[in-house]
């Protein structure tokens, strides 16, 4: 009899431990099995298997219960490697989340259910034996033409019958080997010759003895070209390469550049169907492809020998997962790089404060590309919206921006207008009682969406008919305040009736592939002005764009979040980097109510260092990251009594620990759920993790408590 330890996949998350079953045969570790758990059938992953002589009575007295028998073995082969299983354990520890939720987010969906993972592709080859064989002339010829390890299929093309004879004579024998597909073709002609700065960065990454390098290169400095040269280098050494990007649909040009040069490349992202993801997972596992471009979850692909992981726009918040396990892809990349002896390249024009600080300290190798490839930075101006209003100007499209747009259109160039708020008006207010209308389920104001003639909650997505009178006082009419991309688009159309204008935001790109078609039209210059949210700020490289206008540039600074200055700075730097990337000089106009703010100043100066020094000073004074670590414990519950009781309970078990513990703090409700947060802040992350584990393990074992979610080093605090 064999004792089999398994993790049950859809057990409730508070059973974060393996369960013991029995089976008549040994089962390989990391295969999936079917078990009965709480009287229902469940899929589970085998984490251990050992032989026992004991019979079921003896087992019962040892374990304290009679172990059930495994119902069925699903896989013939493990669905994951030892490395990935250990990665899941590590992930569970460092994100304080149940192992099973880690396993579930690592495997493609198709594997979480019941489909079988096909075995790697095998190839048969011939082994040549030495000896005195009495060959005929023809047999000798064929024997001499065979080389050791030749593929059987190829050999049989010489002569099926003679090969058969040679096997019978034992002059050759056939064996099977796992097929290894080295990236078949690399198109060398498509590679640009690196500039001397790019070459220097390339050489130093290759030769560095540090695991991590930070490529700090201004927008348009040719970082992508460096990635592609590095990828080629590592592929030629027989290593796998992973390039992570924030969002695939927003980087069509990067995709094209990769495709141009490498014939076999996997693009792994959330727009793929479950089946497609599963197919790609298999291709990586079977070593059919060695270069992957993907979003966050691609970090869990079953690579066998990673050489290089590139994280493009490493500061981007999409690299952090919002739901459990709330991991940051960078940390997972470092862990995998250690396991594979691989290198990690972080790259950005606006590196995260943490990465830049580490690079300055020498933990990472710092590489800089200070010059644009075209040696020409756009000219940047800030427009004070207060002054515009005093002079009766428009605060949507100011007079100076309007003039620049006119010039741009006259010269047949293109413009990008960024406004990081979708919809028509973000505030709906009663003209009588002045109350702001809110979503019924969330503490979030309604947004007016004119195209559909509805009110939308941007928190939960619920859609409402516009009430004909105020729900609070019964008065009418309602007033709409502020503006989003839709209203700005209308305003542009009014000002420039003959220009072709397109809008790109979450509302306009509903269908799959519509990102690409909007960007394609812009690329083909079928569109003159592209207006959109942060979606249009990243990565785009269009030579005819000579004007970027940023509306309400400082709106993001109103948030109370500790990170909002950095997020706003990144966005404005990214957006201004879209202008004047090729032969034509570019311009950027930034409209702001607070033009003296250091974020706006830093963007005006295009000076990361200027921003960094001020921001780090502020973080230091307030002890926010990177001067500390934060663990956020978030409770949610519809029951107000229970959430308060739960929060007090957790706070009581934390409060005497040697870290800074913030009292429970109530946040606005989302989807009818009340939310309450407790923060732990300190410098010793390992000790903080250990204490949090103890407290949370004890907490989830209790009955009738609120749902809890842990976020280690959250990027935002509402
Ligand atoms: P980044 O990723 O740093 O914003 P890109 O890699 O997009 O910059 O490069 C900016 C532009 O310069 C692109 O159009 C790219 O094709 C071009 N470019 C990059 N490197 C070279 C090079 N070595 N020679 C010629 N053109 C280059
Ligand atoms: Zn809502």
């Amino acid at each position: 009899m064999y004792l089999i330890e398994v993790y049950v996949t859809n057990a409730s998350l508070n059973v974060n431990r393996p369960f013991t079953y029995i089976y008549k045969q040994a089962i390989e570790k990391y295969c999936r099995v079917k078990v009965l758990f709480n009287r229902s059938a469940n899929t589970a992953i085998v984490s251990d298997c050992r032989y026992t002589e004991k019979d079921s009575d003896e087992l019962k007295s040892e374990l304290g219960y009679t172990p059930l028998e495994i119902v069925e073995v699903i896989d013939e082969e493990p669905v994951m490697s030892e490395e990935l299983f250990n990665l899941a354990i590590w992930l569970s520890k460092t994100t304080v989340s149940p192992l099973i939720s880690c396993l579930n987010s690592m495997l493609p969906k198709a594997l979480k259910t019941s489909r079988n993972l096909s075995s790697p592709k095998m190839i048969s080859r011939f082994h040549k034996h030495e000896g005195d064989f009495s060959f005929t002339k023809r047999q000798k010829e064929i024997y001499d033409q065979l080389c050791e390890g030749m593929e059987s299929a190829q050999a049989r093309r010489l002569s099926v019958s003679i090969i058969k004879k040679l096997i019978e004579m034992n002059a050759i024998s056939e064996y099977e080997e796992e097929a290894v597909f080295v990236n078949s073709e690399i198109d060398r002609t498509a590679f640009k010759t690196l500039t001397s700065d790019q070459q220097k960065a390339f050489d130093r990454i290759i030769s560095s003895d540090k695991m991590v390098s930070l490529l700090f290169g201004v927008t348009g400095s040719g970082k992508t070209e460096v990635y592609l040269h590095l990828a080629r280098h590592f592929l030629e050494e027989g290593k796998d390469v992973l390039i992570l990007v924030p969002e695939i649909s927003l980087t069509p040009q990067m995709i094209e550049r990769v495709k141009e040069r490498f014939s076999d490349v996997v693009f792994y992202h959330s727009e793929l169907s479950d089946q497609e993801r599963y197919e790609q997972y298999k291709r990586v596992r079977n070593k059919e492809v060695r270069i992957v471009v993907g979003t966050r979850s691609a970090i869990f692909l079953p690579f066998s020998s990673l050489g290089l992981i590139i994280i493009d726009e490493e500061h981007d918040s999409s690299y952090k997962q919002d739901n459990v396990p709330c991991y940051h892809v960078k940390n997972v990349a470092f862990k995998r790089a250690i396991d594979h002896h691989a290198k990690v390249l972080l790259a950005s024009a606006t590196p995260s404060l943490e990465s830049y600080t580490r690079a300055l300290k020498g933990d990472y190798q710092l590489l800089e590309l200070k010059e644009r490839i075209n040696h020409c930075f756009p000219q940047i101006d800030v427009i004070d919206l207060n002054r515009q209003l005093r002079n009766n100007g428009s605060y949507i499209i100011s007079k100076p921006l309007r003039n620049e747009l006119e010039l741009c259109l006259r010269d047949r160039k293109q413009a990008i207008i960024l406004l990081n708020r979708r919809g028509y008006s973000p505030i709906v207010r009663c003209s009588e009682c002045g109350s702001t209308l809110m979503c019924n389920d969330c503490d979030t104001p309604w947004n007016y969406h004119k195209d559909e003639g509805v009110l939308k909650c941007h928190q939960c997505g619920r859609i409402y008919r516009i009430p004909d009178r105020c729900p609070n006082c019964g008065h009418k009419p309602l007033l709409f305040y502020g503006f989003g991309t839709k209203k700005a688009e209308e305003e542009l159309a009014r000002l420039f009736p003959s220009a072709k204008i397109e809008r790109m935001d979450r509302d306009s790109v509903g269908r799959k592939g519509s990102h690409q078609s909007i960007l394609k039209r812009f690329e083909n210059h079928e569109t003159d002005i592209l207006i959109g949210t942060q979606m249009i700020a990243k990565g785009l490289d269009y030579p005819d764009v000579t004007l970027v206008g940023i509306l309400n540039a400082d709106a993001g600074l109103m948030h109370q979040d500790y990170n909002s200055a950095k997020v706003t700075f990144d966005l404005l730097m990214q957006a201004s980097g879209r202008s004047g990337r090729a032969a034509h000089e570019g311009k950027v106009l930034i409209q702001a109510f607070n033009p003296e703010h250091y974020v706006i100043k830093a963007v005006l100066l295009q000076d990361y260092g200027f921003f960094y020094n001020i921001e780090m000073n502020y973080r230091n004074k307030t002890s926010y990251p990177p001067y500390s670590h934060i663990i956020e414990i978030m409770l949610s519950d519809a029951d107000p009594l229970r959430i308060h009781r739960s929060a007090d309970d957790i706070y009581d078990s934390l409060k005497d620990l040697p870290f800074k513990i913030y009292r429970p703090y109530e946040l606005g409700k989302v989807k009818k759920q009340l939310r309450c947060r407790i923060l732990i802040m300190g410098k010793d992350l390992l000790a903080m993790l250990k204490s949090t584990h103890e407290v949370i393990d004890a907490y989830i074992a209790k009955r009738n408590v609120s749902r809890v979610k842990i976020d280690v080093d959250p990027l935002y605090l509402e």
Side-chain angles (χ1 to χ4, degrees):
M1 186 109 68
Y2 288 85
L3 284 179
I4 316 284
E5 302 228 309
V6 304
Y7 279 87
V8 180
T9 51
N10 35 354
S12 86
L13 293 183
N14 53 11
V15 284
N16 187 26
R17 64 180 181 86
F19 290 85
T20 307
Y21 287 78
I22 50 173
Y23 200 58
K24 50 191 185 293
Q25 288 162 6
I27 307 176
E28 250 192 281
K29 273 205 251 180
Y30 321 129
C31 282
R32 289 164 312 150
V33 292
K34 283 235 161 70
V35 295
L36 279 177
F37 185 79
N38 280 345
R39 280 185 229 109
S40 60
N42 266 292
T43 308
I45 293 186
V46 174
S47 59
D48 200 15
C49 166
R50 52 181 201 276
Y51 182 73
T52 177
E53 293 280 350
K54 298 188 175 119
D55 63 20
S56 73
D57 280 347
E58 285 169 308
L59 283 175
K60 185 181 174 186
S61 62
E62 183 186 308
L63 295 167
Y65 59 88
T66 314
L68 294 174
E69 195 161 341
I70 298 266
V71 177
E72 185 193 334
V73 181
I74 300 174
D75 303 301
E76 287 162 15
E77 290 190 53
V79 289
M80 64 195 334
S81 61
E82 177 112 34
E83 186 227 345
L84 287 179
F85 191 82
N86 288 336
L87 185 68
I89 294 175
W90 171 89
L91 197 60
S92 153
K93 285 196 179 127
T94 53
T95 60
V96 196
S97 38
L99 180 64
I100 203 67
S101 69
C102 298
L103 290 168
N104 280 339
S105 41
M106 288 169 63
L107 292 171
K109 238 207 196 99
L111 266 182
K112 283 175 225 160
T113 54
S114 62
R115 239 159 290 168
N116 219 324
L117 188 67
S118 74
S119 1
K121 210 168 182 166
M122 302 302 278
I123 281 193
S124 50
R125 298 179 182 280
F126 281 119
H127 185 51
K128 252 173 116 171
H129 300 279
E130 300 294 329
D132 279 336
F133 302 107
S134 43
F135 289 135
T136 62
K137 185 161 162 274
R138 183 83 180 115
Q139 284 167 350
K140 175 87 172 82
E141 266 172 34
I142 300 282
Y143 179 81
D144 287 343
Q145 281 181 42
L146 291 176
C147 38
E148 176 60 35
M150 193 175 204
E151 270 187 42
S152 310
Q154 197 187 345
R156 288 202 167 85
R157 260 178 250 136
L158 299 172
S159 161
V160 176
S161 58
I162 292 181
I163 293 290
K164 190 170 165 222
K165 202 86 206 157
L166 292 178
I167 296 173
E168 279 167 21
M169 294 164 77
N170 206 23
I172 59 173
S173 60
E174 206 165 3
Y175 66 95
E176 296 240 305
E177 188 183 76
E178 211 174 279
V180 179
F181 297 81
V182 180
N183 229 293
S184 43
E185 280 157 49
I186 297 178
D187 183 356
R188 299 171 151 279
T189 58
F191 283 82
K192 297 194 163 75
T193 313
L194 295 180
T195 63
S196 67
D197 283 352
Q198 286 173 321
Q199 186 65 44
K200 222 184 288 164
F202 175 91
D203 291 341
R204 285 181 56 199
I205 294 163
I206 300 290
S207 60
S208 166
D209 52 4
K210 293 208 165 95
M211 182 179 87
V212 184
S213 299
L214 173 65
L215 180 60
F216 171 26
V218 298
T219 53
S221 59
K223 296 185 288 297
T224 315
E225 197 62 40
V226 176
Y227 308 162
L228 299 175
H229 280 257
L230 285 168
R232 180 173 90 186
H233 173 88
F234 281 91
L235 291 173
E236 285 173 346
E237 296 212 319
K239 299 284 193 177
D240 303 331
V241 173
L242 171 62
I243 303 179
L244 292 168
V245 294
E247 212 176 319
I248 289 268
S249 53
L250 301 182
T251 41
Q253 291 173 316
M254 152 94 95
I255 309 271
E256 253 161 52
R257 280 153 83 178
V258 175
K259 268 191 194 155
E260 226 167 67
R261 302 168 199 212
F262 306 103
S263 59
D264 268 328
V265 49
V266 155
F267 295 97
Y268 195 81
H269 52 94
S270 57
E271 277 188 26
L272 299 182
S273 68
D274 291 346
Q275 186 57 30
E276 285 167 328
R277 277 166 87 91
Y278 171 64
E279 293 297 329
Q280 304 300 12
Y281 188 89
K282 275 197 308 193
R283 289 181 67 204
V284 173
R285 188 187 119 119
N286 297 350
K287 307 190 187 90
E288 288 168 35
V289 59
R290 313 210 74 142
I291 173 165
V292 175
V293 179
T295 49
R296 191 178 62 224
S297 61
I299 195 65
F300 297 121
L301 285 170
F303 295 103
S304 44
S305 65
L306 266 174
L308 175 69
I309 304 171
I310 295 169
I311 307 185
D312 183 36
E313 312 284 5
E314 65 95 28
H315 63 276
D316 198 276
S317 63
S318 70
Y319 288 130
K320 179 83 192 269
Q321 177 156 294
D322 281 337
N323 35 30
V324 177
C326 303
Y327 67 90
H328 198 296
V329 84
K330 240 183 274 176
N331 296 329
V332 186
F334 296 157
K335 173 76 172 112
R336 291 206 80 179
I338 292 170
D339 292 343
H340 287 252
H341 303 290
K343 290 202 160 148
V344 179
L345 178 65
L346 309 174
S348 174
T350 52
S352 64
L353 298 174
E354 192 198 356
S355 296
Y356 192 62
T357 306
R358 284 185 186 233
L360 290 180
K361 268 176 38 192
D363 296 349
Y364 304 161
Q365 174 175 232
L366 179 61
L367 305 160
E368 292 191 58
L369 294 175
K370 294 183 178 157
E371 281 282 336
R372 270 193 166 187
I373 291 286
N374 70 356
H375 299 284
C376 186
F377 264 104
Q379 183 202 327
I380 305 183
D381 283 323
V382 176
I383 296 157
D384 183 349
L385 287 175
N386 299 303
R387 193 179 311 158
Q388 292 294 315
L389 284 181
R390 278 200 299 275
N391 300 336
N392 290 326
S394 164
Y395 74 117
I396 302 182
I397 308 291
S398 67
K399 191 85 181 93
L401 178 55
R402 186 178 164 174
N403 293 343
E404 285 300 334
L405 275 165
E406 241 155 49
L407 291 177
C408 172
L409 293 170
R410 193 198 60 197
D411 294 345
R412 310 217 158 276
K413 295 289 180 290
Q414 292 174 291
I416 288 180
I417 304 289
L418 171 78
L419 171 60
N420 204 17
R421 173 172 291 284
R422 65 195 171 95
Y424 192 83
S425 296
I427 290 174
V428 186
R429 208 174 269 162
C430 171
S431 60
E432 181 72 15
C433 72
S435 58
T436 302
L437 273 50
M438 310 280 267
C439 173
N440 297 355
D441 298 341
C442 312
D443 288 329
T444 306
W446 270 330
N447 269 263
Y448 172 45
H449 282 245
K450 194 176 177 189
D451 340 23
E452 301 130 287
V454 295
L455 301 176
K456 266 189 204 173
C457 170
H458 285 189
Q459 180 72 255
C460 69
R462 236 181 108 169
I463 293 174
Y464 297 84
R465 280 212 347 258
I466 303 171
D468 43 7
R469 45 188 74 233
C470 170
N472 296 322
C473 71
H475 193 83
K476 55 183 182 179
L478 298 168
L479 299 175
F480 301 105
Y481 287 93
F483 65 99
T485 43
K486 175 66 194 169
K487 188 163 179 181
E489 183 193 6
E490 258 185 33
E491 179 71 3
L492 285 169
R494 191 179 68 78
L495 295 173
F496 305 102
S498 58
K500 277 165 275 155
I501 303 168
E502 246 196 296
R503 181 168 56 98
M504 182 152 143
D505 56 28
R506 217 166 354 128
D507 301 306
S508 71
V509 296
R511 276 161 300 109
K512 188 173 168 173
S514 49
H515 289 98
Q516 284 88 334
S517 48
I518 293 176
L519 292 177
K520 199 86 222 159
R521 284 194 290 276
F522 194 59
E523 183 173 1
N524 296 342
H525 209 141
E526 292 162 44
T527 316
D528 303 309
I529 305 176
L530 180 65
I531 174 165
T533 52
Q534 99 298 345
M535 284 184 177
I536 61 170
K538 292 174 192 169
L540 306 182
D541 182 31
Y542 299 117
D544 279 352
V545 175
T546 56
L547 178 62
V548 167
I550 306 177
L551 314 185
N552 262 353
D554 47 355
L557 298 171
M558 312 295 180
H559 296 297
Q560 294 303 309
D561 192 79
Y562 83 94
N563 209 11
S564 55
K566 176 69 167 75
V567 172
T568 306
F569 175 71
D570 295 349
L571 179 65
L572 300 185
M573 288 292 275
Q574 287 290 332
S576 36
R578 302 308 110 213
S579 181
R581 290 169 71 89
H584 321 291
E585 211 182 314
K587 254 197 170 165
V588 180
L589 290 192
I590 299 177
Q591 299 190 162
F593 279 106
N594 197 355
E596 296 300 316
H597 195 285
Y598 67 94
V599 165
I600 305 290
K601 275 199 170 145
V603 177
L604 189 63
L605 298 168
Q606 289 286 297
D607 190 342
Y608 176 85
F610 176 86
F611 171 78
Y612 177 84
N613 290 333
I614 297 176
E615 185 65 15
M616 285 297 276
N617 191 19
Y618 152 76
R619 303 277 178 115
N620 191 5
K621 281 194 188 126
T622 50
S623 297
Y624 273 116
Y627 288 96
S628 69
H629 290 282
I630 300 179
I631 298 181
E632 177 187 64
I633 300 176
M634 180 75 90
L635 295 168
S636 59
D637 201 328
D639 179 345
L641 283 177
R642 188 167 55 197
I643 195 168
H644 287 131
R645 189 160 24 89
S646 301
D648 290 343
D649 179 26
I650 293 181
Y651 179 74
D652 283 342
S653 33
L654 287 169
K655 68 179 191 300
D656 297 327
L657 293 171
F659 318 112
K660 188 161 186 190
I661 313 289
Y662 286 80
R663 287 187 170 280
Y665 176 74
E666 261 182 69
L667 297 163
K669 69 173 191 285
V670 171
K671 294 187 189 172
K672 296 199 171 98
Q673 298 289 306
L674 303 165
R675 295 177 307 151
C676 190
R677 159 182 96 193
I678 297 166
L679 294 181
I680 307 173
M681 262 165 94
K683 287 190 189 292
D684 186 350
L685 182 61
L686 283 182
M688 287 160 68
L689 286 171
K690 185 165 174 285
S691 302
T692 310
H693 263 290
E694 285 163 10
V695 169
I696 295 303
D697 284 349
Y699 171 79
I700 56 181
K702 292 177 187 164
R703 285 175 175 276
N704 199 18
V705 289
S706 305
R707 198 165 345 105
V708 64
K709 173 181 145 184
I710 312 293
D711 192 341
V712 178
D713 288 332
L715 296 185
Y716 304 97
L717 294 172
E718 278 175 64

